[in-house]
Amino acid sequence: MSEKLEQLKKNLGEVSDINHAASVLSWDQQVSIPPKGHEARGQQLATLGKLAHERATTDEIGKLIDELKTEFAGADPASDEAAMIRVASRNYDKATRVPSEFVAEQAVVSSKAFEAWGEAREKSDFSIFQPHLEKVVELTKKYVSFFPPADHPYDTLLDDYEPGMKTAEVKEIFDNLRPKQVELIKAISAAKQVDADFLFTKYDEKKMNDFGVDVITKYGYDWSRGRQDKALHPFETTFSVNDVRITTRFEEDNPTAMIFSTLHEAGHGMYEQGVNQSYERTPLESGTSLAVHESQSRMWENLVGRSLPFWEHFYPSFKETFSQQLDGVSVETFYKAINKVEPSLIRVNADEATYNLHVMLRLELEIAMVEGSVAIKDLPEVWNTKMEEYLGITPPNDAKGVLQDVHWSSGLLGYFSTYALGNLISAQLWEKINEDISGLDDQIRNGNFSELLEWLRKNIHQHGQKFEPQTLVEKVTGSRITSEPYVRYLTKKYSQIYGL
Amino acid sequence: MSEKLEQLKKNLGEVSDINHAASVLSWDQQVSIPPKGHEARGQQLATLGKLAHERATTDEIGKLIDELKTEFAGADPASDEAAMIRVASRNYDKATRVPSEFVAEQAVVSSKAFEAWGEAREKSDFSIFQPHLEKVVELTKKYVSFFPPADHPYDTLLDDYEPGMKTAEVKEIFDNLRPKQVELIKAISAAKQVDADFLFTKYDEKKMNDFGVDVITKYGYDWSRGRQDKALHPFETTFSVNDVRITTRFEEDNPTAMIFSTLHEAGHGMYEQGVNQSYERTPLESGTSLAVHESQSRMWENLVGRSLPFWEHFYPSFKETFSQQLDGVSVETFYKAINKVEPSLIRVNADEATYNLHVMLRLELEIAMVEGSVAIKDLPEVWNTKMEEYLGITPPNDAKGVLQDVHWSSGLLGYFSTYALGNLISAQLWEKINEDISGLDDQIRNGNFSELLEWLRKNIHQHGQKFEPQTLVEKVTGSRITSEPYVRYLTKKYSQIYGL
């Protein structure tokens, strides 16, 4: 193998190690840290961020990449080597535009903002979070300024999560989708409503947790290479292809949400566990984009986990566990209940028909924050107004409104639209999977997920970052990201449930 | 303040951050990691070790230290600044002698050795650990070779844990102590034995754990700046003065050992929590040596936690919790049982009268390994022979013999004697404390530990690494480390218990 490529991999392997170390520190901060440990942790993360950045932007790496581009000019663009050099070059270009000191400052600010967000959410008091968010947005604008002007400043942020995607492109996809989703919701509203009251009684947390663990074990989440803990906000994090962790949470007033959190994060986790082991510590490790990642989590959460075949398999044992709560509830009734469409406050608990509207709201607010057209102090009000406009409901407090998501506290602007794109990709893949696997519903009905996981391993997971998201989606499904399969999926599912 | 000192602190603050990040990764490896996560973790720790080492040994730091020595030549040697420069200089000298690549190699080897040790101990099969330990010892010898020849090669190792201490000096202290301890044990053997059978029945783990938590809460362990988890081997680790964690373990066949593990590690933890906050991220952070550290853990474990006044306070609630196991057992009987002297296999569970003999055995083996006078493959046999010679018992298997301690798997040679030195210091301090605090026994009998903790905070904890261990002990007690107070303490205690 090329000596220069070996040298590049050695250098970037160290960067990967530092970044993974930072991930361990962040995981610990969300799962285990004692209350007064946050300040030092912020400092430690700042130092690791600074170091990783310094190490990723050395002249040596720049020179190696340039030389490797020449050396591999004639190589198959679909080879691992060519992909590695391409991704390394992209990362290097991005990283060299941003000064080390800026990265360190951002880490300190984010750490404090995260802590303030936790307190603000607990007390449902946006004013605690406001000055921190102002600082986060200020730094975000400064970040954008390091890059060449794009069609829209938000493009620069979006591109970090969804390589190559443009704000205008996302808007177009969303503009196509929105009227169809709104139309569907209207039709559902006019139909006979389903009963879901039995979901919102008292359920035992431990038993609920155990059920989720049981399901993802059958899914194929590999516990020898992962674990699940409780956290304020559910997430997946990767320390190596052999250490991929997830978190979940229990909400007293929405107990079954814990299951879907677990299935969702396990979907992310199985993607990470399925990446080619030889990509470890190279630019090709991990999933290729947030939207593709989300397609995996949403598939295992919704297309599998909220399907009738799934519950035909799991419901008997679930009902036995919660015999009191589910007395007289048939599997069909349960299936309809967990798919009840109802405009609601919390994005992560939103049903499939309304979910994307939550995302569209956030995308608009983020664009407004970046443009400066909305003052941070006015966010709660704007949030509530838009919730009323899109979903017809107003949050009773900021904890259930503008403070519900962790993202902004961690400086993650540009991120949200990938959630909706992930939904679209999941349905696009699902159509293809059902062409390729005959009798998938029957397999699911028998609690057999191995052929599905194998398909995903082969077509999506193993590739890591080798293919850019649009390339991968097109390679697998024959078309770039489009909303049509998702609309077909929603229409079919809800027509059956609501007798439309 | 001196601009150069600020610059030095900035540089060393980053080194501290990297080292603390590595501590988080190690904690996670011992508390949380999934089985297949070890290899990548070893690599990550190796990279952090290498980075910390590179950052600690820059020419810039060397130059700053040299210039600061001149700048502060006339400063009060007892000032924080002078101490900081002194410790920084010592650390820099040590670190610059050891190449980065060596540190990285050692981290990889240790990580693999740690994993192998876990498996070897579980299967009680030394051969699984043997090749790893051989590599560890080989690297240890190479480490010694980076330093100027000392009176004995082991001096170099000892000095890392106990600044300034010589092998000959430790041997002398131990040679003074050994005959007196042996004599005491003989006298005890000849006396009427105490009953402790009721300690070795079935106790509930959760209740035992809760009791330990209760005690250290009363001790003053600050939970807002710490936490306790379960691990294979109990330990204390510091991520910052505001994040000091401990671990404990439950042994089915020795259930009350869990309490003393917890008290022991909390003793370490309270030392770390008590260091002057302004020393954070400077060379003066953390405890000053392992022996002084051990004096704190052993004091809270033994001098407090195995005393009659302590149990006069806690026994009523303890007995209520375990009413079945302790039916008819008076506090005096219980007190005698937990202080029963009996040559036993496991160091961490050894009584105060035999403990130091376990340490002496290890010190001799370590010296032999470093000298090369014992082959690693023969260690189990030599271990067992010495156990028979010193304590009159032979381990039934290696798990309860040569494989019981984690230290060698982590490359920690030179460490063990500090345990015995810590015992000596604890008794030395205890005599002084009882001069300074009148009615301490009564305070303990009332469950009041605040004056004791305050004394330790003021005289020991707050100073961090400002004073070298012998200096600190002399400053506080008026004498360098000596075994006499410990012998007085043991003799008085066991004369009462065994009616000698």
Side-chain angles (χ1 to χ4, degrees):
Chain A
M1 198 206 245
S2 154
E3 201 178 301
K4 289 206 169 72
L5 188 55
E6 279 309 297
Q7 195 52 39
L8 181 68
K9 284 168 79 170
K10 185 164 180 285
N11 277 277
L12 295 181
E14 287 185 358
V15 175
S16 164
D17 289 337
I18 304 168
N19 285 327
H20 283 141
S23 296
V24 177
L25 266 63
S26 293
W27 172 86
D28 179 80
Q29 192 173 22
Q30 293 183 66
V31 168
S32 309
I33 207 167
K36 290 186 180 162
H38 285 278
E39 191 177 337
R41 182 57 49 86
Q43 182 63 62
Q44 290 152 7
L45 282 166
T47 295
L48 291 188
K50 183 178 160 216
L51 278 175
H53 186 260
E54 277 176 31
R55 290 272 163 165
T57 55
T58 58
D59 292 344
E60 185 191 351
I61 291 178
K63 194 159 165 280
L64 282 167
I65 290 171
D66 281 345
E67 291 167 350
L68 282 163
K69 277 181 180 168
T70 310
E71 187 180 331
F72 283 84
D76 177 3
S79 67
D80 283 358
E81 290 76 11
M84 220 168 267
I85 295 160
R86 194 168 55 234
V87 178
S89 174
R90 178 189 147 87
N91 293 347
Y92 183 78
D93 178 61
K94 279 200 182 263
T96 46
R97 292 183 179 277
V98 186
S100 279
E101 298 69 33
F102 177 83
V103 175
E105 189 188 357
Q106 206 170 34
V108 173
V109 167
S110 298
S111 177
K112 287 183 185 160
F114 173 76
E115 199 188 349
W117 167 75
E119 192 195 339
R121 190 175 123 149
E122 202 185 309
K123 299 183 177 164
S124 193
D125 180 354
F126 183 76
S127 71
I128 295 168
F129 183 44
Q130 183 193 323
H132 295 274
L133 182 55
E134 279 166 357
K135 190 84 191 151
V136 165
V137 171
E138 188 189 307
L139 287 182
T140 301
K141 288 180 188 172
K142 197 168 166 190
Y143 176 82
V144 170
S145 76
F146 296 132
F147 291 83
D151 300 341
H152 189 285
Y154 193 79
D155 282 359
T156 305
L157 303 174
L158 189 57
D159 188 78
D160 283 348
Y161 305 106
E162 218 47 42
M165 192 73 73
K166 295 281 182 189
T167 310
E169 202 177 353
V170 176
K171 275 186 172 168
E172 194 192 329
I173 294 172
F174 284 4
D175 285 346
N176 267 324
L177 174 63
R178 195 185 299 106
K180 290 169 193 158
Q181 258 191 280
V182 168
E183 191 188 348
L184 179 67
I185 295 169
K186 273 191 190 155
I188 292 171
S189 298
K192 183 175 182 305
Q193 293 307 294
V194 307
D195 173 31
D197 289 352
F198 55 84
L199 295 180
F200 301 94
T201 57
K202 202 173 151 44
Y203 284 74
D204 180 68
E205 175 174 347
K206 167 102 179 35
K207 287 178 183 167
M208 195 63 76
N209 182 71
D210 290 350
F211 177 78
V213 166
D214 223 52
V215 174
I216 66 174
T217 305
K218 284 200 173 168
Y219 272 2
Y221 177 80
D222 183 351
W223 294 101
S224 75
R225 301 190 287 139
R227 57 179 281 144
Q228 182 180 247
D229 294 271
K230 276 184 75 177
L232 195 57
H233 188 86
F235 64 96
E236 177 276 322
T237 182
T238 303
F239 306 152
S240 87
V241 69
N242 294 314
D243 191 351
V244 176
R245 306 190 188 179
I246 58 176
T247 65
T248 190
R249 69 168 167 205
F250 184 73
E251 299 167 84
E252 297 284 350
D253 57 357
N254 190 6
T256 52
M258 185 184 222
I259 299 171
F260 299 102
S261 261
T262 294
L263 307 194
H264 181 98
E265 301 307 332
H268 286 302
M270 291 187 287
Y271 185 6
E272 292 288 316
Q273 289 181 335
V275 173
N276 190 329
Q277 293 251 358
S278 73
Y279 293 169
E280 183 88 328
R281 301 177 78 241
T282 79
L284 300 187
E285 68 186 349
S286 285
T288 194
S289 81
L290 289 193
V292 176
H293 236 297
E294 196 68 8
S295 78
Q296 299 306 294
S297 55
R298 297 296 271 180
M299 185 182 291
W300 291 103
E301 176 194 359
N302 290 334
L303 288 94
V304 179
R306 286 186 210 264
S307 73
L308 187 56
F310 174 98
W311 285 102
E312 281 169 347
H313 177 74
F314 285 107
Y315 192 66
S317 73
F318 189 75
K319 186 170 173 172
E320 202 178 304
T321 306
F322 298 110
S323 55
Q324 200 194 325
Q325 293 87 342
L326 300 172
D327 186 35
V329 176
S330 70
V331 63
E332 286 77 14
T333 306
F334 182 81
Y335 165 71
K336 286 182 181 179
I338 58 165
N339 284 294
K340 184 182 169 70
V341 174
E342 190 166 48
S344 65
L345 296 168
I346 307 295
R347 173 184 60 83
V348 296
N349 293 342
D351 57 75
E352 293 175 86
T354 57
Y355 186 92
N356 291 342
L357 296 173
H358 289 266
V359 170
M360 292 175 197
L361 174 158
R362 285 159 179 76
L363 177 67
E364 287 164 42
L365 290 191
E366 287 194 351
I367 291 174
M369 281 192 267
V370 171
E371 287 175 346
S373 56
V374 167
I376 304 304
K377 73 169 170 46
D378 296 332
L379 272 189
E381 199 191 320
V382 180
W383 179 287
N384 292 351
T385 306
K386 278 194 190 286
M387 280 297 289
E388 189 59 46
E389 189 184 328
Y390 285 17
L391 293 157
I393 48 176
T394 301
N397 57 52
D398 290 342
K400 294 189 171 178
V402 68
L403 288 171
Q404 69 183 262
D405 293 304
V406 70
H407 304 65
W408 296 340
S409 81
S410 307
L412 300 174
L413 271 87
Y415 189 118
F416 274 117
S417 63
T418 67
Y419 286 126
L421 295 171
N423 283 332
L424 307 188
I425 298 171
S426 73
Q428 228 175 314
L429 293 174
W430 197 245
E431 288 193 349
K432 176 66 178 154
I433 288 168
N434 277 281
E435 282 171 27
D436 291 355
I437 304 178
S438 66
L440 180 58
D441 275 2
D442 283 340
Q443 293 183 16
I444 293 174
R445 203 171 281 117
N446 290 321
N448 180 0
F449 305 95
S450 57
E451 203 176 337
L452 172 59
L453 181 58
E454 204 183 312
W455 189 98
L456 293 169
R457 288 265 189 267
K458 177 167 166 270
N459 290 284
I460 307 288
H461 301 178
Q462 65 157 327
H463 299 308
Q465 299 184 50
K466 184 166 174 176
F467 303 106
E468 290 197 350
Q470 287 280 27
T471 311
L472 180 66
V473 172
E474 191 164 11
K475 178 178 141 74
V476 177
T477 69
S479 132
R480 290 166 71 87
I481 301 170
T482 162
S483 64
E484 285 161 27
Y486 191 64
V487 172
R488 279 195 289 271
Y489 161 72
L490 284 188
T491 306
K492 186 179 166 198
K493 178 169 186 171
Y494 290 110
S495 295
Q496 189 267 319
I497 292 174
Y498 282 92
L500 305 180
Chain B
M1 199 204 244
S2 156
E3 202 180 303
K4 288 205 169 73
L5 188 55
E6 278 308 296
Q7 194 54 36
L8 180 68
K9 285 169 79 171
K10 186 166 178 284
N11 277 277
L12 295 179
E14 287 186 357
V15 175
S16 164
D17 289 336
I18 303 169
N19 285 327
H20 283 140
S23 297
V24 177
L25 266 63
S26 293
W27 171 86
D28 178 80
Q29 193 173 21
Q30 294 183 66
V31 168
S32 309
I33 208 167
K36 292 187 180 160
H38 286 278
E39 191 178 337
R41 183 56 50 86
Q43 182 63 63
Q44 290 153 7
L45 282 166
T47 295
L48 290 188
K50 184 179 160 215
L51 277 176
H53 186 260
E54 277 177 29
R55 290 271 164 164
T57 55
T58 58
D59 293 343
E60 185 190 351
I61 291 178
K63 193 159 167 279
L64 282 168
I65 290 171
D66 281 346
E67 291 168 348
L68 282 163
K69 278 181 179 167
T70 310
E71 187 179 330
F72 283 85
D76 176 4
S79 68
D80 284 356
E81 290 75 12
M84 221 169 268
I85 294 160
R86 193 167 59 235
V87 177
S89 174
R90 177 188 147 88
N91 294 346
Y92 183 78
D93 179 61
K94 280 202 182 260
T96 47
R97 292 183 178 278
V98 187
S100 279
E101 298 69 33
F102 176 83
V103 176
E105 188 187 358
Q106 207 172 32
V108 173
V109 167
S110 298
S111 178
K112 285 182 186 162
F114 173 76
E115 199 188 348
W117 167 76
E119 193 194 338
R121 189 175 124 150
E122 201 186 309
K123 297 182 178 164
S124 193
D125 180 354
F126 182 75
S127 72
I128 295 167
F129 183 45
Q130 184 193 319
H132 295 274
L133 182 56
E134 279 165 357
K135 190 83 193 152
V136 165
V137 172
E138 188 188 307
L139 287 183
T140 301
K141 288 179 185 168
K142 196 167 166 191
Y143 176 82
V144 170
S145 75
F146 297 133
F147 291 83
D151 300 341
H152 190 284
Y154 193 81
D155 283 359
T156 305
L157 302 174
L158 190 56
D159 188 76
D160 283 348
Y161 304 107
E162 217 47 42
M165 192 75 72
K166 295 280 182 190
T167 310
E169 201 176 354
V170 177
K171 276 185 171 168
E172 195 193 329
I173 295 172
F174 284 2
D175 286 345
N176 267 325
L177 174 62
R178 196 185 299 105
K180 292 170 193 156
Q181 258 191 279
V182 168
E183 190 187 348
L184 180 67
I185 295 168
K186 274 192 188 153
I188 291 171
S189 299
K192 181 175 184 302
Q193 293 307 293
V194 305
D195 172 31
D197 288 353
F198 54 84
L199 295 181
F200 300 93
T201 57
K202 200 172 153 44
Y203 284 75
D204 180 69
E205 175 175 348
K206 165 96 178 44
K207 286 177 184 168
M208 195 63 79
N209 182 72
D210 290 349
F211 177 78
V213 166
D214 224 50
V215 174
I216 65 175
T217 305
K218 282 199 175 171
Y219 272 2
Y221 176 80
D222 182 351
W223 295 101
S224 74
R225 301 190 286 139
R227 56 179 283 144
Q228 181 179 248
D229 294 89
K230 277 184 74 177
L232 195 57
H233 188 87
F235 65 95
E236 177 276 321
T237 183
T238 303
F239 306 151
S240 88
V241 70
N242 293 315
D243 191 352
V244 177
R245 305 190 189 179
I246 58 176
T247 66
T248 190
R249 69 168 167 207
F250 184 73
E251 298 168 85
E252 296 283 350
D253 57 356
N254 190 6
T256 52
M258 186 184 222
I259 299 171
F260 300 103
S261 262
T262 295
L263 306 194
H264 181 98
E265 301 307 334
H268 285 302
M270 289 186 288
Y271 186 4
E272 292 287 317
Q273 289 181 337
V275 173
N276 189 330
Q277 293 252 359
S278 74
Y279 294 170
E280 182 88 329
R281 302 178 77 240
T282 80
L284 300 187
E285 67 186 350
S286 285
T288 193
S289 80
L290 289 192
V292 175
H293 236 297
E294 196 68 7
S295 78
Q296 299 306 293
S297 56
R298 297 296 272 179
M299 185 181 292
W300 290 103
E301 176 193 358
N302 290 336
L303 289 95
V304 179
R306 286 186 209 266
S307 74
L308 188 55
F310 174 98
W311 286 103
E312 283 169 346
H313 177 73
F314 285 107
Y315 192 67
S317 72
F318 189 75
K319 186 169 173 172
E320 202 178 301
T321 307
F322 298 110
S323 54
Q324 200 195 326
Q325 294 88 340
L326 299 172
D327 186 34
V329 176
S330 71
V331 63
E332 287 77 14
T333 306
F334 183 81
Y335 165 70
K336 287 181 179 178
I338 58 165
N339 284 294
K340 183 180 170 74
V341 174
E342 190 167 46
S344 64
L345 296 167
I346 306 295
R347 172 185 59 85
V348 295
N349 294 342
D351 56 75
E352 292 175 86
T354 57
Y355 186 94
N356 291 340
L357 296 173
H358 289 266
V359 169
M360 292 174 195
L361 176 156
R362 284 158 179 76
L363 178 67
E364 287 164 42
L365 290 190
E366 286 193 353
I367 291 174
M369 282 192 267
V370 170
E371 286 174 347
S373 57
V374 167
I376 304 304
K377 72 169 170 48
D378 297 331
L379 271 190
E381 200 191 320
V382 180
W383 180 286
N384 293 351
T385 307
K386 278 195 188 285
M387 279 297 290
E388 190 59 47
E389 190 183 328
Y390 285 16
L391 292 158
I393 48 176
T394 301
N397 57 50
D398 290 341
K400 293 187 173 181
V402 68
L403 288 171
Q404 70 183 261
D405 293 304
V406 70
H407 305 66
W408 296 340
S409 80
S410 307
L412 299 175
L413 272 87
Y415 190 118
F416 275 117
S417 63
T418 66
Y419 286 126
L421 295 172
N423 284 332
L424 308 188
I425 298 170
S426 73
Q428 227 174 314
L429 293 175
W430 197 244
E431 288 192 349
K432 177 64 178 156
I433 289 167
N434 277 280
E435 282 171 26
D436 290 354
I437 304 178
S438 67
L440 180 57
D441 275 3
D442 283 338
Q443 292 183 16
I444 293 176
R445 202 171 282 116
N446 290 320
N448 179 0
F449 305 96
S450 58
E451 204 176 336
L452 172 58
L453 181 58
E454 204 182 313
W455 190 98
L456 293 169
R457 288 266 189 267
K458 177 168 167 271
N459 289 285
I460 307 290
H461 301 180
Q462 65 156 326
H463 299 307
Q465 299 184 52
K466 184 166 176 176
F467 304 106
E468 289 196 349
Q470 288 280 28
T471 312
L472 181 66
V473 171
E474 191 164 13
K475 177 179 142 73
V476 177
T477 70
S479 134
R480 289 167 71 87
I481 301 171
T482 162
S483 63
E484 285 161 28
Y486 191 64
V487 172
R488 279 195 288 272
Y489 161 73
L490 284 187
T491 307
K492 185 178 168 201
K493 178 169 186 171
Y494 290 109
S495 296
Q496 189 267 319
I497 292 174
Y498 282 92
L500 304 180

